[in-house]
């Protein structure tokens, strides 16, 4: 049977969480990295993954497809986003996979059980913690919620471009994704970011998401992890494609990085 052509997206018909997932998330790539990292640092694959600030829980859902013993726990404050994830992402799984995903509506600062093999805080969501004591409290809670030697994985963006008030537009299938660094204060490192979407018919979805964050630095996050009791704290830095000079999506443990204009890396610690 011929497939019905997809209706063009417009600001009126599009679903902002669907656009978000299509713009910023690659759960298959993320869980492959987590699986490899845990095998390397702990000696076996992770079986219980905790996704903090899980939103629509794409990582939780992807993780349980990797192995029949894999379980995941997603924690997020926003009921409507969790419900969307349940309906759209969980229901796409087999019944056995669905049973192995638990989503809880709670503050990540309040959840420490069950103890996970690996906890991830992705897409910089932990940046809502703008004061040092709050970030330290988050890391201590994350540590309490991990098994011995369990891993905390956080991504971070940085480089001079992260401190510029600028917009970056990326074309996606049927729409444009616009990352807007609307305001950055060099004194506090408070950063206000927004996501907008634009459609082929000229309509726009402005301020679909707003993030009132602190732009943390790599030394700060590593020092805080050590202070929170983590060991083997280190950075995974992206390699460079020798032909294009661009990042090659291969992340390796590195003691030094390059002074790139924009970079994304991972901070890792073991409980
Ligand atoms: C940028 S979204 C991240 C979604 C997803 N983790 C990702 O990688 O794209 C941030 C999420 O963090 C949640 N959030 C913010 N503060 C939180 C807190 N203290 N505890 C739990 N969830 C929180 C919000 O409800 C929102 O769904």
């Amino acid at each position: 049977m011929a497939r019905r052509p997809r209706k063009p997206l417009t600001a009126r018909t599009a679903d902002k969480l669907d656009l978000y997932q299509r713009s910023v998330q690659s759960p298959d790539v993320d869980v492959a990295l987590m699986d490899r990292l845990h095998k390397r640092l702990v000696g076996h694959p992770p079986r219980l993954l905790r996704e903090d600030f899980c939103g629509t829980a794409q990582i939780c859902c992807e993780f349980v497809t990797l192995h029949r013993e894999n379980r995941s726990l997603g924690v997020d404050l926003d009921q409507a986003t969790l419900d969307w994830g349940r309906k759209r992402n969980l229901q796409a799984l087999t019944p056995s996979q669905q049973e192995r995903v638990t989503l809880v509506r709670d503050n990540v600062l309040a959840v420490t059980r069950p103890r996970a093999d690996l906890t991830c805080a992705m897409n910089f969501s932990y940046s809502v913690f703008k004061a040092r004591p709050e970030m330290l409290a988050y890391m201590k809670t994350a540590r309490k919620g991990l098994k011995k030697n369990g891993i905390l994985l956080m991504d971070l963006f940085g480089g001079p471009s992260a401190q510029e008030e600028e917009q970056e537009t990326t074309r996606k299938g049927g729409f444009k994704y616009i990352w807007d660094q609307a305001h950055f204060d060099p004194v506090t490192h408070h950063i206000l970011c927004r996501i907008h979407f634009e459609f082929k018919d000229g309509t726009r979805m402005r301020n679909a998401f707003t993030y009132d964050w602190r732009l943390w630095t790599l030394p700060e996050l590593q020092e805080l992890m050590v202070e929170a009791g983590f060991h083997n704290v280190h950075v995974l830095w992206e390699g460079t494609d020798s032909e294009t000079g661009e990042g090659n999506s291969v992340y390796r443990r590195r003691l030094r990085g390059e002074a790139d204009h924009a970079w994304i890396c991972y901070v890792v610690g073991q409980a």
Side-chain angles (χ1 to χ4, degrees):
M1 195 170 68
R3 270 216 268 156
R4 243 194 296 165
R6 259 198 191 183
K7 278 201 188 136
L9 290 169
T10 71
R12 204 172 55 79
T13 60
D15 176 330
K16 70 174 191 171
L17 287 168
D18 179 47
L19 299 176
Y20 174 88
Q21 289 196 162
R22 287 159 66 179
S23 300
V24 308
Q25 292 205 277
S26 310
D28 51 339
V29 177
D30 292 336
V31 299
L33 181 137
M34 293 171 200
D35 191 63
R36 271 199 311 275
L37 184 67
H38 196 275
K39 281 181 191 152
R40 196 164 67 236
L41 297 185
V42 186
H44 58 85
R47 290 293 172 232
L48 176 58
L49 175 136
R50 169 167 160 183
E51 183 183 8
D52 276 349
F53 314 94
C54 69
T56 60
Q58 268 204 307
I59 291 178
C60 282
C61 291
E62 185 72 30
F63 183 69
V64 296
T65 68
L66 279 194
H67 192 277
R68 64 190 152 71
E69 282 168 36
N70 280 8
R71 291 182 299 129
S72 58
L73 168 68
V75 184
D76 199 285
L77 273 179
D78 192 63
Q79 189 63 54
T81 309
L82 288 171
D83 289 345
W84 192 100
R86 251 194 205 103
K87 198 159 156 228
R88 292 288 296 272
N89 296 330
L90 250 89
Q91 282 186 14
L93 300 174
T94 66
S96 135
Q97 291 166 348
Q98 288 183 33
E99 274 171 23
R100 290 182 275 116
V101 179
T102 306
L103 300 184
V104 296
R105 186 193 160 270
D106 211 332
N107 193 325
V108 294
L109 293 171
V111 180
T112 55
R113 292 293 181 276
R115 284 186 202 262
D117 292 304
L118 185 148
T119 293
C120 63
M122 304 299 277
N123 275 321
F124 330 114
S125 314
Y126 57 82
S127 312
V128 289
F129 300 131
K130 288 163 130 182
R132 207 175 181 285
E134 276 185 331
M135 182 58 85
L136 185 60
Y138 169 61
M139 290 180 173
K140 284 185 173 170
T141 309
R143 185 167 161 263
K144 271 196 203 146
L146 282 166
K147 293 180 191 159
K148 186 169 163 42
N149 288 325
I151 295 171
L152 175 63
L153 178 74
M154 302 162 80
D155 57 5
L156 177 68
F157 71 108
S161 83
Q163 304 188 15
E164 280 161 19
E165 292 174 349
E166 60 180 17
Q167 295 194 356
E168 188 190 17
T169 301
T170 312
R171 274 179 198 283
K172 298 282 167 183
F175 66 97
K176 284 182 190 163
Y177 159 77
I178 300 157
W179 175 249
D180 178 7
Q181 289 170 190
H183 184 67
F184 174 74
D185 179 347
V187 174
T188 59
H189 266 225
H190 289 180
I191 183 168
L192 187 72
C193 300
R194 302 183 193 281
I195 293 177
H196 319 293
F197 299 106
E198 274 181 25
F199 304 90
K200 284 189 174 156
D201 69 345
T203 56
R204 296 197 277 179
M205 201 188 274
R206 292 204 40 89
N207 304 327
F209 298 94
T210 298
Y211 304 112
D212 188 1
W213 282 345
R214 168 166 169 180
L215 182 66
W216 289 89
T217 67
L218 269 178
E220 285 168 335
L221 288 185
Q222 291 183 90
E223 284 164 14
L224 278 161
M225 268 198 195
V226 171
E227 209 172 314
F230 284 92
H231 68 97
N232 199 18
V233 173
H234 61 277
V235 167
L236 302 179
W237 192 261
E238 193 179 9
T240 307
D241 184 302
S242 53
E243 277 177 22
T244 63
E246 300 287 321
N248 63 2
S249 306
V250 179
Y251 288 85
R252 294 209 197 287
R253 182 177 184 142
R254 291 267 299 271
L255 292 176
R256 311 216 179 288
E258 286 88 33
D260 295 335
H261 194 59
W263 47 256
I264 290 180
C265 72
Y266 296 94
V267 189
V268 178
Q270 283 188 271

